[in-house]
C-alpha cells in the first residue's frame, strides 16, 4: 500500500471572488472551485471539454437562515492520496484509490456558521461532500433542501427512470434531457408502492451521453444517516439540482454537528467502458468496518421463488381472507394445495442444489401470515419465526446440512418496519440457531410508520441498523425494495446483494424492455451489486401458469451471459429444476461460472445497445465472458488479449443460434468449443434480445485439445 499526503494550508479573509483549480492525478480531469460574491460554485472539465458548467452549492434550512450565500473563505487544504486495497469480495482482487483533494472551509459572515466542502478528483471523475464541524453557532439543524447543482453542457441523451420516493422498479427511458418532461407520464408505470415527485425529476445513478462523445454518470456514495438524493431538472437551462426524499412532515434531514453529507459523484470518460470500470463509488466509502470477515462469502443459490412469481404456486398456506398471528390456528385450517414452501418441495430443491454444486436454497412463504400480508397497512404482519404446518424447520435444517447445502432465510416486512425492528433480534437468533447465514429481506408496500418513504432518512437509518445488527449474528443481507446502494458494501461487506431496481420478476409481470440489461450496469450497478435473479430457461410464462401471458424478453444464451454482465457475489439460478433438466448442456455454464473475481475487463460497451465483460475467477486461471444485446441483431467482435501469453485455453461458447430471437425463437442456442490463446479473436452474431457466454479454461494436458478447432 502506498500513501502520499501533501497538505497546503492558506488563510484568506474578506475576498469577494476566490478561485482554486485542481487536476486529477493524470491531469485529464480538471476542477475549479470559486467563491463568487459569497456563493460557492464549482465546474468540471475532462480533456478540455465541459462536463459540469458553473454550478452552485449549499442548503436551504428550516426555521434558520439558508447556507447558500454570504460566505467567506477561512481555510483551504490540498492533498494527494494513493493506496491499493483489497475488497472482501468483488470484481477485482486489488482496487486502486488515487485522487487529488481540495478542502475548503467557509464561514457565513453574518451568522458565523461554518460549512466545509471536500472535493476528491479522480482520473475518471469527481466526488464532493459537505462537512459540518462542531461549532458554537450551529449544532442541530433541519434540511429543507440541498441545493447541489449539476449544470449540463448540453441537451444530452439520458437513460433515466422517474424520480420517486418509494421505488426504482421502472423500465428505463432513453431520451434527450429536454424530452424528459413530455415522456414522464408514460415512464411512470404501476408499482406496489410509489410516490413520483415532479415531472422533470429523475433518479440516480443517471447515465448520459453528450453530443461530443462524453459519457457522464451522476450518483452518490456513502449514503448514511441522510436522505436519498434525486435530481430535479431545470429543462430550460439543463441544470440538475439535488432533490432529497422528505419524511412524513416534509423535512429532508435532521442533522447534528459534527456531521457530513453523502458524496455526490460525477463519473466521466470518452469511453463507455471506463464508466463500468470506475471504482469511484467504492473508493469514497470507508474501509471495512469488521475485523473478522471469514463468515462473509459469495453465494450461488436456487430457490422456491419463480413458481410463485409466475403464479404457479403460492406464498400463502390457506385461502383465508384474514389471519392474526398467535390467534389463527393453522392446524385447523384447510390448505390451498398451492403452497410452495412445503417439506417435499424444499427437499427436492435441496437435492438439486447438492447435486449441482449450489450453496443455498432460498425459501419464501415458509412463515405464517401470508394470507393478508399486502395492502392492508397491517402492523403485526409477520413474526419471522413461526413456520406453516407443512414446513418443518428442524428437519429441513438437518436435511440441508446433510447435503452440504444451507437454506436461505426470507424476511418480508410488508413495509411494517416498526414490526421488523421489534422482532429483529429474535429473528436473527432464530437464523443462527437453524444454520441460516443469509437472508433476503423485503420491503414491499407503503412504509409503517405511515407517511415515511422507502428512501427517506428514517428508512436509510433502518437499513443501516438491520445491516449492522445482522453482522452481530454473522448474517449476510440481500435487501429488496430498499434504497439503491451507494458503495456501502465496501464498509459493510455482509451487504452481499440488493434489488432496488426492476429485476427478473417483472418478466412475469408483463416483461422488461429488451435493452434493460444493457442499461442497468451503467445505472443501478454503479452503486453496488444487484440480485437480478437470472437463469430463466422457459421464456413462455404460460407454461407455468396458463393465466399469465407474460414472456421473458430474452434468449437462453443471454440468460447465461447475465451471470457475467450483471455483477453480484450473490447469483441465483431462478428457474425451476425440472426446466433446467431439459437443458443440462446450457445449464452447465451456470454451474461453472464464478461469482467472485480477481480481474474484470470491459471488451465492448455502449449504454442501451450492448455490453461485453470478461472476468477472471478468484484464485484461478479461468475466465468467463458475457455479452448482453439489445433488440437489434449485432455482431460482437472481441479479442482474447486478456489471456496470459504463451498459454492455451479451451473456450466453450454458448451462443444464439442463427435463427434465435427473444420473441419467436428464444430457446435456439448452440454450444461450440475452440482452442484459444491471447492472440485469438471471435466474431459472434447476437440475436435480438440475445447474447453469448463463454467459459475459458486453461489447457493442462495436450490430449484435452485433440480434435478441437483453433480460433
Amino acid at each position: 500500500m502506498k500513501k502520499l499526503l501533501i497538505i497546503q494550508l492558506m488563510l484568506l479573509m474578506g475576498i469577494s471572488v476566490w478561485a482554486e483549480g485542481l487536476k486529477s492525478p493524470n491531469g485529464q480531469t480538471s476542477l475549479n472551485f470559486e467563491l463568487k460574491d459569497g456563493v460557492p460554485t464549482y465546474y468540471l472539465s475532462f480533456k478540455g471539454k465541459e462536463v459540469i458548467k458553473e454550478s452552485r452549492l449549499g442548503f436551504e434550512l428550516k426555521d434558520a437562515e439558508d447556507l447558500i450565500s454570504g460566505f467567506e473563505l477561512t481555510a483551504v487544504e490540498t492533498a494527494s492520496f494513493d493506496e491499493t486495497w483489497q475488497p472482501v469480495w468483488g470484481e477485482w482482487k486489488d482496487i486502486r484509490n488515487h485522487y487529488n483533494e481540495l478542502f475548503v472551509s467557509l464561514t457565513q459572515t453574518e451568522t458565523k456558521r461554518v460549512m466545509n466542502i471536500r472535493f476528491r478528483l479522480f482520473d475518471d471523475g469527481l466526488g464532493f461532500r459537505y462537512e459540518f464541524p462542531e461549532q458554537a453557532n450551529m449544532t442541530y439543524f433541519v434540511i429543507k433542501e440541498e441545493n447541489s447543482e449539476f449544470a449540463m453542457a448540453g441537451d444530452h441523451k439520458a437513460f433515466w427512470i422517474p424520480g420517486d420516493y418509494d421505488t426504482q422498479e421502472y423500465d428505463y427511458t432513453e431520451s434527450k434531457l429536454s424530452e424528459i418532461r413530455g415522456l414522464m407520464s408514460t415512464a411512470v408505470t404501476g408499482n406496489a408502492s410509489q410516490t413520483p415527485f415532479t415531472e422533470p425529476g429523475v433518479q440516480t445513478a443517471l447515465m448520459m451521453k453528450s453530443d461530443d462523445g462524453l459519457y457522464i454518470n451522476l450518483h452518490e456514495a456513502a449514503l448514511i444517516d441522510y436522505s436519498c438524493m434525486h435530481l430535479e431538472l431545470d429543462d430550460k437551462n439543463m441544470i440538475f439540482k439535488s432533490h432529497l426524499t422528505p419524511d412524513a412532515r416534509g423535512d429532508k434531514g435532521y442533522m447534528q454537528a459534527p456531521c457530513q453529507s453523502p458524496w455526490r459523484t460525477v463519473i466521466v470518460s470518452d469511453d463507455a467502458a471506463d464508466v463500468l470500470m470506475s471504482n469511484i463509488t467504492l473508493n469514497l466509502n470507508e474501509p471495512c468496518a469488521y475485523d473478522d470477515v471469514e463468515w462473509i462469502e459469495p453465494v450461488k443459490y436456487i430457490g422456491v421463488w419463480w413458481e410463485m412469481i409466475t403464479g404457479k404456486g403460492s406464498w400463502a398456506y390457506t385461502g383465508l381472507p384474514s389471519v392474526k398471528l398467535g390467534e389463527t390456528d393453522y392446524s385447523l385450517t384447510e390448505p390451498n394445495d398451492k403452497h410452495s414452501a412445503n417439506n417435499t418441495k424444499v427437499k427436492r430443491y435441496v437435492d438439486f442444489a447438492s447435486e449441482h454444486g449450489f450453496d443455498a436454497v432460498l425459501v419464501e412463504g415458509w412463515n405464517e401470515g401470508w394470507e393478508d400480508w399486502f395492502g392492508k397497512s397491517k402492523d403485526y404482519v409477520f413474526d419471522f419465526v413461526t413456520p406453516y404446518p407443512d414446513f418443518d424447520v428442524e428437519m429441513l435444517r438437518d436435511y440441508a446440512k446433510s447435503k452440504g447445502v444451507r437454506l436461505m432465510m426470507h424476511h418480508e416486512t410488508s413495509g411494517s418496519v416498526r414490526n421488523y425492528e421489534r422482532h429483529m433480534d429474535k429473528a436473527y437468533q432464530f437464523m443462527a440457531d437453524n444454520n441460516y447465514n443469509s437472508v433476503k429481506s423485503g420491503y414491499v408496500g407503503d412504509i409503517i410508520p405511515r407517511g415515511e418513504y422507502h428512501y427517506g432518512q428514517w428508512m436509510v437509518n433502518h437499513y443501516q441498523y438491520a445491516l449492522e445488527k445482522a453482522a452481530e449474528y454473522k448474517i449476510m443481507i440481500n435487501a429488496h425494495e430498499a434504497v439503491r446502494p451507494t458503495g456501502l458494501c465496501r464498509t459493510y461487506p455482509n451487504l452481499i446483494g440488493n434489488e432496488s431496481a426492476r429485476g427478473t420478476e417483472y418478466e412475469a409481470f408483463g416483461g422488461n424492455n429488451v435493452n434493460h440489461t444493457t442499461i442497468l450496469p451503467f445505472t443501478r450497478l454503479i452503486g453496488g451489486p444487484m440480485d437480478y435473479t437470472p437463469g430463466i430457461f422457459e421464456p413462455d410464462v404460460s407454461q407455468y401458469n396458463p393465466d399469465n401471458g407474460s414472456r421473458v424478453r430474452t434468449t437462453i444464451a443471454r440468460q447465461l451471459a447475465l451471470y457475467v454482465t450483471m455483477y453480484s457475489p450473490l447469483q441465483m439460478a431462478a428457474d425451476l429444476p425440472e426446466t433446467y433438466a431439459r437443458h443440462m448442456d446450457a445449464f452447465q455454464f451456470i454451474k461453472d461460472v464464478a461469482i467472485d473475481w480477481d480481474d474484470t475487463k470491459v471488451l465492448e460497451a455502449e449504454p442501451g445497445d450492448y455490453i461485453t465483460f470478461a472476468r477472471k475467477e478468484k484464485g484461478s486461471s479461468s475466465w468467463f465472458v458475457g455479452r448482453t444485446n439489445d433488440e437489434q441483431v449485432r455482431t460482437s467482435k472481441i479479442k482474447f488479449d486478456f489471456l496470459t501469453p504463451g498459454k492455451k485455453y479451451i473456450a466453450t461458447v454458448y451462443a444464439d443460434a442463427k435463427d434465435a430471437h427473444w420473441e419467436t425463437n428464444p430457446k435456439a442456442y448452440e454450444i461450440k468449443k475452440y482452442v484459444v490463446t491471447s492472440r485469438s479473436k471471435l466474431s459472434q452474431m447476437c440475436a435480438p434480445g440475445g447474447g453469448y457466454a463463454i467459459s475459458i479454461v486453461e489447457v493442462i494436458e495436450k490430449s484435452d485439445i485433440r480434435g478441437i478447432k483453433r480460433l
Side-chain angles (χ1 to χ4, degrees):
M1 179 181 293
K2 175 186 174 187
K3 293 186 179 181
L4 176 63
L5 184 64
I6 308 169
I7 298 180
Q8 173 189 8
L9 178 65
M10 299 182 294
L11 297 177
L12 301 174
M13 303 290 292
I15 300 177
S16 61
V17 177
W18 178 89
E20 173 78 3
L22 186 72
K23 288 190 177 295
S24 63
N26 68 4
Q28 294 185 342
T29 309
S30 299
L31 167 77
N32 284 83
F33 174 82
E34 188 170 334
L35 190 60
K36 205 167 186 178
D37 295 325
V39 178
T41 65
Y42 77 103
Y43 57 98
L44 185 70
S45 63
F46 177 78
K47 294 183 179 180
K49 295 180 180 181
E50 283 187 316
V51 180
I52 305 292
K53 298 167 66 176
E54 182 179 294
S55 300
R56 296 171 294 181
L57 302 169
F59 286 86
E60 298 175 51
L61 301 185
K62 181 180 180 180
D63 301 327
E65 186 173 340
D66 294 335
L67 292 168
I68 292 176
S69 61
F71 288 103
E72 62 181 11
L73 185 73
T74 51
V76 176
E77 297 176 8
T78 59
S80 295
F81 186 82
D82 191 357
E83 72 168 358
T84 298
W85 59 278
Q86 293 187 332
V88 175
W89 45 260
E91 298 177 82
W92 296 269
K93 180 181 178 182
D94 299 301
I95 294 177
R96 189 180 185 189
N97 185 14
H98 191 196
Y99 60 81
N100 292 331
E101 181 175 280
L102 172 66
F103 172 86
V104 295
S105 184
L106 308 173
T107 300
Q108 199 169 45
T109 308
E110 292 187 4
T111 66
K112 304 304 179 185
R113 296 176 300 174
V114 177
M115 181 178 75
N116 301 328
I117 308 174
R118 190 180 300 272
F119 299 91
R120 289 183 180 171
L121 193 61
F122 303 81
D123 290 340
D124 54 350
L126 170 69
F128 68 87
R129 74 179 180 194
Y130 303 90
E131 300 175 359
F132 299 95
E134 187 173 352
Q135 54 191 290
N137 295 314
M138 187 173 63
T139 302
Y140 297 96
F141 58 101
V142 180
I143 297 173
K144 184 177 179 181
E145 187 59 272
E146 179 188 324
N147 283 4
S148 298
E149 292 184 346
F150 306 85
M152 298 294 99
D155 188 9
H156 303 330
K157 178 169 69 173
F159 301 85
W160 57 274
I161 56 176
D164 194 303
Y165 300 148
D166 278 307
T167 187
Q168 284 206 311
E169 295 178 355
Y170 293 112
D171 266 319
Y172 282 86
T173 300
E174 177 182 338
S175 76
K176 291 287 191 179
L177 296 178
S178 60
E179 297 170 335
I180 290 176
R181 183 186 299 269
L183 294 170
M184 189 62 69
S185 61
T186 55
V188 176
T189 51
N191 192 271
S193 178
Q194 60 186 147
T195 311
F197 65 84
T198 181
E199 285 190 353
V202 298
Q203 298 193 51
T204 69
L206 175 67
M207 187 67 203
M208 293 172 284
K209 184 180 181 181
S210 68
D211 289 341
D212 58 357
L214 289 185
Y215 297 87
I216 304 166
N217 185 282
L218 304 181
H219 193 35
E220 62 180 324
L223 174 60
I224 294 179
D225 194 17
Y226 203 85
S227 291
C228 171
M229 181 184 75
H230 310 273
L231 298 170
E232 190 166 352
L233 177 63
D234 172 356
D235 47 9
K236 292 183 179 179
N237 298 299
M238 301 304 159
I239 299 174
F240 284 109
K241 188 177 76 170
S242 55
H243 180 111
L244 303 182
T245 305
D247 67 2
R249 300 171 57 180
D251 299 325
K252 299 198 171 186
Y254 296 86
M255 312 295 287
Q256 179 183 358
C259 58
Q260 61 200 25
S261 75
W263 295 92
R264 281 62 187 96
T265 63
V266 184
I267 301 172
V268 59
S269 180
D270 50 12
D271 185 343
D274 291 340
V275 177
L276 300 175
M277 294 286 283
S278 176
N279 280 306
I280 283 179
T281 312
L282 288 175
N283 282 330
L284 289 171
N285 279 269
E286 295 298 314
C288 182
Y290 310 138
D291 293 327
D292 173 22
V293 295
E294 291 298 318
W295 52 277
I296 301 171
E297 55 189 8
V299 178
K300 189 185 291 186
Y301 72 107
I302 62 174
V304 184
W305 174 77
W306 186 240
E307 70 169 56
M308 295 182 286
I309 290 293
T310 60
K312 176 182 175 67
S314 168
W315 284 269
Y317 177 72
T318 78
L320 294 174
S322 171
V323 296
K324 288 188 176 182
L325 299 184
E327 297 182 26
T328 302
D329 186 347
Y330 280 94
S331 67
L332 302 178
T333 63
E334 183 178 351
N336 61 15
D337 296 327
K338 291 188 65 177
H339 184 229
S340 296
N342 62 73
N343 293 330
T344 301
K345 183 165 293 183
V346 173
K347 287 176 69 175
R348 189 164 71 245
Y349 272 77
V350 168
D351 290 343
F352 187 85
S354 178
E355 179 183 355
H356 297 289
F358 287 81
D359 303 301
V361 175
L362 168 68
V363 184
E364 298 191 15
W366 67 276
N367 55 322
E368 292 183 356
W370 285 92
E371 283 76 9
D372 60 352
W373 72 282
F374 175 71
K376 309 297 188 299
S377 193
K378 189 176 181 180
D379 186 7
Y380 187 27
V381 58
F382 296 114
D383 68 7
F384 311 101
V385 297
T386 306
Y388 279 127
D390 60 349
F391 188 88
D392 187 330
V393 172
E394 293 184 0
M395 181 275 291
L396 289 171
R397 172 198 66 197
D398 295 342
Y399 186 79
K401 193 172 184 178
S402 73
K403 295 282 187 173
V405 174
R406 286 183 184 265
L407 295 181
M408 183 182 292
M409 179 55 70
H410 183 237
H411 288 167
E412 176 54 61
T413 69
S414 188
S416 185
V417 177
R418 183 178 70 166
N419 181 59
Y420 191 32
E421 291 188 353
R422 182 191 297 137
H423 289 90
M424 192 173 287
D425 271 295
K426 188 177 180 181
Y428 286 161
Q429 186 62 58
F430 179 85
M431 288 181 60
D433 292 343
N434 289 286
N435 201 37
Y436 292 83
N437 69 340
S438 59
V439 58
K440 173 184 174 181
S441 56
Y443 297 88
V444 176
D446 294 338
I447 298 298
I448 299 175
R450 298 171 184 88
E452 294 293 339
Y453 300 112
H454 284 75
Y455 302 158
Q457 184 184 28
W458 193 89
M459 280 300 296
V460 167
N461 289 345
H462 162 77
Y463 304 132
Q464 188 67 26
Y465 173 75
L467 183 60
E468 295 185 47
K469 176 63 68 172
E472 296 177 15
Y473 294 85
K474 296 188 175 181
I475 289 171
M476 298 179 289
I477 297 286
N478 168 27
H480 282 225
E481 294 88 31
V483 69
R484 73 284 192 280
T486 58
L488 285 174
C489 56
R490 177 188 180 183
T491 313
Y492 306 97
N494 62 319
L495 183 61
I496 59 167
N498 278 112
E499 183 190 37
S500 308
R502 189 177 171 107
T504 296
E505 64 183 357
Y506 278 85
E507 299 284 16
F509 305 158
N512 294 328
N513 286 345
V514 179
N515 68 350
H516 193 54
T517 56
T518 70
I519 299 172
L520 282 172
F522 287 100
T523 52
R524 161 61 185 78
L525 272 73
I526 293 296
M530 180 180 177
D531 184 27
Y532 190 72
T533 61
I536 303 302
F537 279 15
E538 178 48 76
D540 183 1
V541 176
S542 69
Q543 295 300 309
Y544 296 147
N545 176 9
D547 296 326
N548 189 337
S550 300
R551 294 191 66 87
V552 185
R553 298 174 182 179
T554 180
T555 65
I556 285 181
R558 182 167 80 172
Q559 287 296 300
L560 301 179
L562 297 180
Y563 290 93
V564 182
T565 65
M566 295 290 291
Y567 168 68
S568 179
L570 179 76
Q571 289 284 17
M572 183 184 196
D575 215 329
L576 277 56
E578 53 265 37
T579 298
Y580 289 134
R582 294 193 290 270
H583 304 278
M584 291 307 295
D585 54 350
F587 185 67
Q588 186 64 44
F589 182 84
I590 299 179
K591 293 172 60 174
D592 293 341
V593 68
I595 51 176
D596 200 14
W597 309 101
D598 272 341
D599 198 9
T600 289
K601 309 287 185 184
V602 179
L603 308 183
E604 304 168 301
E606 183 63 31
D609 293 345
Y610 53 83
I611 303 172
T612 309
F613 273 102
R615 303 190 193 269
K616 184 176 182 291
E617 181 176 5
K618 179 71 68 70
S620 167
S621 60
S622 297
W623 286 78
F624 295 86
V625 177
R627 157 73 176 228
T628 181
N629 196 54
D630 67 356
E631 66 279 1
Q632 297 184 31
V633 176
R634 298 183 186 274
T635 299
S636 169
K637 296 182 179 181
I638 63 170
K639 299 177 181 179
F640 290 81
D641 53 4
F642 50 85
L643 298 176
T644 302
K647 292 188 174 183
K648 293 181 180 180
Y649 301 80
I650 296 175
T652 305
V653 181
Y654 302 78
D656 296 318
K658 291 182 179 180
D659 57 347
H661 190 288
W662 74 264
E663 188 172 22
T664 59
N665 201 12
K667 297 180 184 179
Y669 61 88
E670 57 186 22
I671 303 173
K672 296 182 179 180
K673 289 190 176 183
Y674 303 96
V675 176
V676 298
T677 68
S678 61
R679 293 185 293 179
S680 298
K681 299 178 182 179
L682 175 69
S683 180
Q684 179 64 53
M685 185 278 294
C686 300
Y692 61 81
I694 310 175
S695 65
I696 305 171
V697 180
E698 184 180 351
V699 174
I700 304 300
E701 301 290 340
K702 289 184 179 180
S703 59
D704 292 340
I705 61 175
R706 189 175 297 121
I708 301 178
K709 180 181 178 181
R710 285 167 170 76
L711 195 62

